[in-house]
Structure formats: C-alpha cells, structure tokens
Amino acid sequence: EAQGGQANDGMAAVERALALDPNLAEAHAVKAQILQQDDDLDAAAAEVTVALGLDSESYEANRSAGRLHYQLQKFEEASRFYEKAVALMEADINSSAMLISCYTAMDDPAGTRRAAELTLKRAEAMLARDQNNSVVTAYSVDALAALGETERAKARMERALLIDPDNRNMR
C-alpha cells in the first residue's frame, strides 16, 4: 500500500506540474512511468508519445519509452530509446544494463557485448566512488556475466552479499 500511496503522490505532483505547464516533456515521461507501474499501458504509451513529441532529446522521455517498449517485449524499439538515454545521460547505468537484456533478447551478441562493456565501465566508475553500492554492484555482475567473466562475477556477488546479505537481486 505504501507504494500505491507514493504513486498517488507522484501522480498528484505530475498533474500539478502539467497544470502549470502542459508542455513539460519530463512530466509526461514521469506520468507514463506511473501509468506503466499501474499496468495502464495504453495511457502510458500515449504519455510517452506526448513526451517524445515535445522533446525527442529528453533523457526522461527516452528512458520512459525504453521501459514501456521493453515491457511490451518490443526489444528493438526499446533498444533505440535506451541507446538514446545512455547517450544523453552519462551516469545512467540502468539504461545501459537494460540494453544488455534487449540485445540478448534480440540475439545480438555484438550489441550485448557492447552494452555489457559500457555497463561495466559505468559501474566501475561508480564503484570507485562508492564500493558498497549493492545496486551498482548488481549491474556490474550482470555485465561481467554477459561478458563471460564468470569468476569475476561470482567474486563480486559474494562481496555484495557480505555488504548487503538481504539483497534478493544477488541471491
């Protein structure tokens, strides 16, 4: 229920922002994400379309579009939007990790490798600043596994479990 309350709070904030300025691509992108979480994919798609129409160079709009297309299992489209998001936001490790999944689903080994290398590079930079970040560690494990570096991935998983023993992603 707490998450539903947060989604309601988020939607109220988005609606206030759009009431002030209906041309905010980022607000439409956030609204799309909330609608997607509520499983209203048609409304989410409409908001993504509006967001991209307002600003095709918006990081938030491209990331929302990637998430939506991924959920719809339209991996080629998702990868295009995630590629754009990755190019727009150097610190975005989630989109680069999602590209690993997209290219794997499309059976594109070269794309998978490139996305894994990018994810690992971004993860290593973040872990150099905060070695105890279990979320970033999880992304690095996924990247290492995609690159076939099984032993390094296992060692990193074990370290992450020492830091955060209740982390379900690592388990």
Side-chain angles (χ1 to χ4, degrees):
E1 180 148 315
Q3 195 173 23
Q6 289 173 349
N8 290 340
D9 291 347
M11 186 60 85
V14 165
E15 294 296 355
R16 282 192 303 274
L18 289 172
L20 293 171
D21 185 352
N23 295 318
L24 293 172
E26 290 76 11
H28 286 283
V30 171
K31 185 173 181 180
Q33 289 181 18
I34 294 169
L35 290 165
Q36 187 180 350
Q37 289 171 347
D38 289 343
D39 262 346
D40 191 348
L41 301 184
D42 290 337
E47 291 297 327
V48 162
T49 299
V50 170
L52 289 168
L54 290 169
D55 185 359
S56 63
E57 296 298 309
S58 163
Y59 162 74
E60 289 83 0
N62 280 281
R63 186 160 178 258
S64 289
R67 289 179 69 188
L68 177 67
H69 285 86
Y70 187 89
Q71 185 173 353
L72 296 170
Q73 297 184 0
K74 296 180 177 180
F75 301 114
E76 191 169 325
E77 292 91 339
S79 68
R80 278 198 335 268
F81 292 114
Y82 280 131
E83 288 284 1
K84 184 87 170 216
V86 162
L88 290 168
M89 179 75 64
E90 193 172 314
D92 180 7
I93 192 168
N94 177 268
S95 294
S96 65
M98 291 305 296
L99 281 169
I100 298 171
S101 294
C102 288
Y103 289 122
T104 299
M106 293 188 301
D107 194 26
D108 179 348
T112 300
R113 179 166 196 77
R114 188 177 47 74
E117 288 170 348
L118 176 61
T119 301
L120 186 59
K121 178 181 174 186
R122 289 183 175 192
E124 298 289 349
M126 291 176 181
L127 290 171
R129 291 187 302 273
D130 178 9
Q131 64 183 0
N132 296 327
N133 187 324
S134 60
V135 172
V136 173
T137 301
Y139 286 131
S140 73
V141 168
D142 290 344
L144 288 166
L147 292 168
E149 296 190 35
T150 310
E151 293 308 312
R152 277 184 70 198
K154 285 180 184 176
R156 196 155 289 180
M157 279 187 274
E158 289 171 13
R159 183 181 178 335
L161 285 171
L162 291 174
I163 297 165
D164 187 3
D166 297 325
N167 187 325
R168 292 178 187 237
N169 289 333
M170 282 304 150
R171 297 214 176 268

